[in-house]
Amino acid sequence: MTATTLRATLLAAMVAIGPLLATPAAAQTPTATASVDEVRLRELLQQLEQAVTRRDGAAYLALAHPSASIVGAERFTDAEFRTVPTRVVVQERERAALTSVPMALGFALTVDAFIEAGDRARVATWMFDVRRGDDQRWRIFDQRAVSSVENLYRLTLNTATQYDVKNFTVVAEDLELTLVEGSVFTVDTDQGITGLVLLGRGEMRFHPTPRTEIEQVRIFAGADTLETRFDSAFIRVGTFEAHADRRLMVARAAVDPREARRAEQIFRDESAKSFVLDLADLTRDSWSLLPGPQDLLAEIRTRRFDTLTYARSNSEAEDISVFERKRQRNIAVYASKDKLLARGRFYNEDDLSPYDILDHQIDVSYAPERRWLDGRAVMQVRVRAETLGQLTIRLSDSLAVRSVTSDRFGRMFYLRVANQNTVLVNLPTVASKGDEMMVTVEYSGRLEPQEAERELVAVQRDPGLQLDAIDESTFPKIEPAYLYSNRSYWHPQPPITDYATATIKITVPQAFAVVASGTLDADSPRPSEPTDNAPAGKVYTFNAERPLRYLAFLVTKLVRADRRTVQFDQESVAPTATDAGAPTLEEAVYDKLELVVESHPRQLGRARALAERAEDIAQFYESLIGDSPYATFTLAVIEGTLPGGHSPGYFAALNQPLSTSTVTWRNDPAAFSSYPEFFLAHEVAHQWWGQAVGWRNDHEQ
């Protein structure tokens, strides 16, 4: 993994990076005398750590097996013992069997090595062929470097020098940060200034170029230009001279201790949000990569809007963004002038994706009471880029990754990007365009479900009702429902929405049922065997033959309300190019749809009434398109505080407010109370638009 590639991804994330790796998996026992061999292996790793610390090639050769290649060992030390470290940590990650010898005599050992040299460091993954020597101790028979991350920096704020400034301006495209009067502290490296803390009387001015973004700024700030005062800001830059004039910075004769302490606190608070690597059990210190030459990130503490984040990330298709941290929402996201000149205004996200997911194989156990997921996902990956050295995978921050492996490379090195639901996986060797591999991710953790969409209703509540008390105010209580879909990142997936087939296996307790993306297997649910962590339950298997934009599942208590076969008018199936305005469908089309209606027990009557309406709606949409997106569709009628729902491929969850709800919505102009089938029609429509038909990029929504 090159520093440039990882650096670009980190700026796009604009957040702190989490643990480098999960805690080591339980090691396999090489022999019956495990305790003796474990002690000897720990001795080998300690001696390896000492050899690296002393940069002692001879000490490393002393660890070699009598039959090992000395030339290979010397090449390894020449390449990996490059610097004089101040500290080295070597951690075992995995053991695997060798094809040439039994586990009692040897195994493949993977380790991570953190090599610190002052304020710079590197992380390397090494794989050793470890075999039993003549003295029965473990010796290194062969070795190779799998991957590494170079040029990590331990950043500190320079509080020994304080600069006075007047009308000091930091500029980026469409952004001006002017410190009318105040102080500047710097973050220095051997590559120059990489960070600034601004203190004093400042003025922020952001004026996006695209008309659509101007409209967004007007909605947010009430004017075409976002103008606000700030009293402090933290800035990371790739090239300082491209954004500010150092000649305007005048060093003080003496540093103000109070301002130095304030600047230090701002640095600690804000620097952790970007470019920072938390290397878990390798080191407790925070290490950072430097931004790219054209990149800039500013955390601006404003009086009016709290903290605003401006980012220019050259690696992104839309490389300029402004983000409001308090409410966690984007104000503007668009392409820079340079990006437009190089690419043009219109683009397809798929063309920018370095890899494609062809198929997902997901096996998940879910415990509703704890919101606990335990999963294993296999992705069939096809490389789209000319060369690929890194996979960026989306997965919720709260889910701990236990391992990432592939059928081609075995175990792979990965990094977690916290607060951005991202995992960076480094390939040991570069893959070429058209290459395919099966990537397996094992993970687990507590993950809160997402709420159904409420995109059409502006809520009206009793003025005395607290927002966080809505669900508790209803009697009888709303039946719990646990939805995991496109906003929860409950399984590994690409960063760009992508169509793929899937098989989803979900295990739940006996009392619960599952609805998910795909057609339910005829023999589902099947009983599941009890484990150490869970009693016996039920296993549901869903198969998605047609590719999906994203995968989802719903766990709740359901009863069957209806099941019917929706027959389509044969004359409307498969329109031809001669039909005016009709699409041409080249693939096989469905002449019927299996419609299943499930519901919460208290909603059974409503659900049965909705079944016929759902059938009519599906027939109408099919008459327009000439096909059904999927062979089956399940409507789950569930209880909620508001009407609305969510419609992933193959199913829709439709909220039904209880009559006892304290939320008033019928007088809302977007409620469509005169059209009781509106929300049902809206959610069913998503099976065609939003699922079967999608956008080329996010802005086309």
Side-chain angles (χ1 to χ4, degrees):
M1 180 188 299
T2 65
T4 301
T5 302
L6 183 55
R7 176 193 304 125
T9 307
L10 292 174
L11 178 55
M14 295 186 296
V15 290
I17 287 186
L20 174 70
L21 290 167
T23 53
Q28 300 182 46
T29 304
T31 68
T33 56
S35 58
V36 175
D37 280 344
E38 289 298 320
V39 170
R40 289 172 175 172
L41 182 59
R42 286 196 293 270
E43 290 176 352
L44 175 65
L45 292 177
Q46 290 171 357
Q47 292 167 345
L48 171 64
E49 194 172 277
Q50 293 167 5
V52 179
T53 302
R54 297 194 301 266
R55 200 186 175 193
D56 189 344
Y60 179 81
L61 293 178
L63 305 177
H65 190 274
S67 302
S69 168
I70 300 302
V71 173
E74 289 176 340
R75 288 176 179 170
F76 178 80
T77 56
D78 289 344
E80 298 299 313
F81 292 21
R82 299 197 301 259
T83 59
V84 180
T86 53
R87 190 170 71 94
V88 174
V89 176
V90 175
Q91 289 283 5
E92 177 188 353
R93 296 305 184 197
E94 186 178 69
R95 300 180 206 177
L98 296 168
T99 57
S100 54
V101 297
M103 284 288 285
L105 300 179
F107 50 90
L109 176 69
T110 303
V111 303
D112 284 330
F114 175 76
I115 305 169
E116 177 183 329
D119 288 333
R120 295 184 68 168
R122 65 187 292 259
V123 179
T125 298
W126 297 330
M127 183 173 289
F128 298 101
D129 181 341
V130 175
R131 302 195 183 185
R132 194 179 299 279
D134 296 337
D135 57 359
Q136 297 302 305
R137 295 184 178 276
W138 295 117
R139 301 292 181 178
I140 298 174
F141 183 80
D142 198 5
Q143 60 280 304
R144 68 182 178 93
V146 176
S147 60
S148 65
V149 177
E150 309 287 338
N151 297 324
L152 305 181
Y153 286 85
R154 179 167 46 202
L155 299 182
T156 55
L157 186 70
N158 181 4
T159 55
T161 304
Q162 180 178 0
Y163 298 93
D164 286 330
V165 296
K166 289 186 178 182
N167 296 320
F168 176 75
T169 302
V170 177
V171 297
E173 186 167 329
D174 298 337
L175 175 73
E176 293 179 1
L177 294 176
T178 300
L179 195 57
V180 179
E181 186 174 15
S183 299
V184 174
F185 290 85
T186 61
V187 181
D188 306 318
T189 71
D190 56 4
Q191 304 296 311
I193 295 176
T194 187
L196 301 167
V197 173
L198 309 184
L199 300 175
R201 182 161 57 91
E203 296 177 355
M204 172 187 176
R205 186 176 188 274
F206 172 68
H207 182 78
T209 302
R211 171 53 54 185
T212 53
E213 304 308 316
I214 293 174
E215 294 292 337
Q216 294 299 311
V217 168
R218 183 183 297 146
I219 292 171
F220 176 75
D224 292 357
T225 300
L226 196 168
E227 294 182 309
T228 184
R229 295 180 179 179
F230 69 89
D231 54 21
S232 63
F234 174 72
I235 300 169
R236 289 294 305 273
V237 293
T239 306
F240 174 78
E241 291 74 15
H243 302 285
D245 187 351
R246 186 163 185 169
R247 294 173 297 180
L248 299 178
M249 299 165 54
V250 180
R252 273 193 189 184
V255 174
D256 184 331
R258 186 175 61 179
E259 291 194 350
R261 287 193 297 270
R262 183 185 171 203
E264 183 67 36
Q265 185 62 52
I266 292 170
F267 170 76
R268 285 197 298 267
D269 293 344
E270 303 296 346
S271 64
K273 298 176 182 177
S274 58
F275 301 100
V276 176
L277 301 172
D278 178 3
L279 302 180
D281 55 352
L282 296 175
T283 174
R284 294 184 178 180
D285 295 340
S286 294
W287 292 81
S288 173
L289 288 168
L290 302 183
Q294 300 179 39
D295 295 340
L296 179 141
L297 177 72
E299 301 284 358
I300 309 148
R301 296 185 175 184
T302 73
R303 299 183 180 181
R304 182 180 175 188
F305 303 110
D306 206 270
T307 299
L308 299 177
T309 302
Y310 171 96
R312 170 73 188 276
S313 174
N314 191 55
S315 64
E316 293 296 296
E318 294 178 310
D319 52 336
I320 296 177
S321 66
V322 174
F323 183 74
E324 183 190 19
R325 287 202 176 271
K326 184 176 182 179
R327 288 187 282 184
Q328 295 290 298
R329 64 176 182 175
N330 285 319
I331 300 167
V333 181
Y334 59 97
S336 65
K337 295 175 183 176
D338 290 343
K339 191 73 72 173
L340 292 175
L341 286 173
R343 183 198 66 209
R345 179 182 175 187
F346 302 101
Y347 70 99
N348 189 336
E349 284 182 335
D350 291 343
D351 296 335
L352 306 177
S353 179
Y355 70 91
D356 186 25
I357 300 293
L358 304 181
D359 183 71
H360 295 273
Q361 302 286 325
I362 301 173
D363 189 347
V364 167
S365 295
Y366 180 65
E369 298 82 2
R370 296 188 297 143
R371 279 65 158 179
W372 187 268
L373 278 168
D374 199 328
R376 181 179 187 272
V378 182
M379 298 178 291
Q380 184 180 354
V381 176
R382 176 184 291 165
V383 178
R384 293 175 56 95
E386 293 300 324
T387 59
L388 180 66
Q390 175 187 298
L391 297 176
T392 301
I393 296 173
R394 301 299 296 273
L395 185 68
S396 175
D397 292 321
S398 65
L399 298 176
V401 176
R402 295 194 299 269
S403 68
V404 181
T405 59
S406 82
D407 59 341
R408 179 174 175 180
F409 299 117
R411 180 188 177 277
M412 295 189 290
F413 178 85
Y414 64 90
L415 297 161
R416 286 306 304 257
V417 183
N419 304 322
Q420 198 62 25
N421 306 308
T422 302
V423 181
L424 307 178
V425 181
N426 191 38
L427 305 184
T429 60
V430 173
S432 302
K433 186 174 184 178
D435 287 352
E436 292 189 14
M437 69 186 86
M438 306 299 289
V439 177
T440 301
V441 181
E442 296 188 1
Y443 59 99
S444 62
R446 191 177 190 274
L447 181 62
E448 288 296 328
Q450 70 181 58
E451 294 183 359
E453 305 294 341
R454 295 174 179 174
E455 55 192 329
L456 297 173
V457 178
V459 183
Q460 298 179 357
R461 297 183 177 89
D462 181 335
L465 181 64
Q466 297 297 318
L467 297 183
D468 59 358
I470 293 176
D471 291 343
E472 298 300 325
S473 66
T474 305
F475 185 83
K477 301 298 184 184
I478 290 174
E479 185 71 56
Y482 310 94
L483 174 66
Y484 294 88
S485 189
N486 57 327
R487 288 188 285 110
S488 57
Y489 303 112
W490 62 275
H491 71 98
Q493 55 198 269
I496 295 174
T497 54
D498 187 23
Y499 285 92
T501 57
T503 298
I504 306 173
K505 183 185 295 184
I506 302 175
T507 303
V508 293
Q510 285 284 357
F512 290 87
V514 181
V515 176
S517 299
T519 299
L520 183 65
D521 274 5
D523 62 346
S524 288
R526 303 181 305 276
S528 67
E529 296 295 328
T531 66
D532 294 338
N533 299 321
K538 296 184 292 187
V539 182
Y540 290 78
T541 301
F542 300 85
N543 289 285
E545 296 179 349
R546 279 193 175 177
L548 293 159
R549 289 188 65 83
Y550 57 85
L551 308 178
F553 73 92
L554 172 72
V555 175
T556 188
K557 296 179 180 179
L558 294 171
V559 294
R560 177 66 53 84
D562 202 340
R563 181 186 180 103
R564 57 181 67 191
T565 300
V566 182
Q567 294 289 344
F568 297 133
D569 184 353
Q570 294 299 306
E571 294 181 1
S572 71
V573 174
T576 65
T578 59
D579 296 333
T584 299
L585 302 178
E586 299 178 355
E587 302 294 332
V589 298
Y590 295 119
D591 60 3
K592 62 182 179 180
L593 173 69
E594 293 299 324
L595 172 64
V596 178
V597 181
E598 306 272 2
S599 80
H600 281 157
R602 285 193 297 248
Q603 301 299 320
L604 188 58
R606 290 185 184 182
R608 286 171 176 163
L610 289 171
E612 185 174 352
R613 291 180 182 177
E615 178 178 1
D616 292 341
I617 291 167
Q619 286 178 328
F620 173 71
Y621 292 144
E622 188 277 340
S623 72
L624 300 178
I625 303 299
D627 191 16
S628 170
Y630 313 110
T632 61
F633 174 70
T634 299
L635 176 65
V637 182
I638 61 177
E639 297 171 354
T641 55
L642 290 170
H646 184 66
S647 185
Y650 284 89
F651 80 93
L654 188 67
N655 283 357
Q656 296 294 303
L658 294 178
S659 59
T660 55
S661 174
T662 57
V663 180
T664 303
W665 62 274
R666 293 186 181 279
N667 295 328
D668 192 291
F672 299 98
S673 57
S674 298
Y675 301 91
E677 68 279 350
F678 173 80
F679 288 103
L680 174 61
H682 177 88
E683 299 306 335
V684 176
H686 274 310
Q687 297 296 301
W688 279 263
W689 174 249
Q691 299 302 334
V693 178
W695 44 88
R696 292 181 302 172
N697 61 68
D698 188 67
H699 272 277
E700 289 192 354
Q701 297 184 66

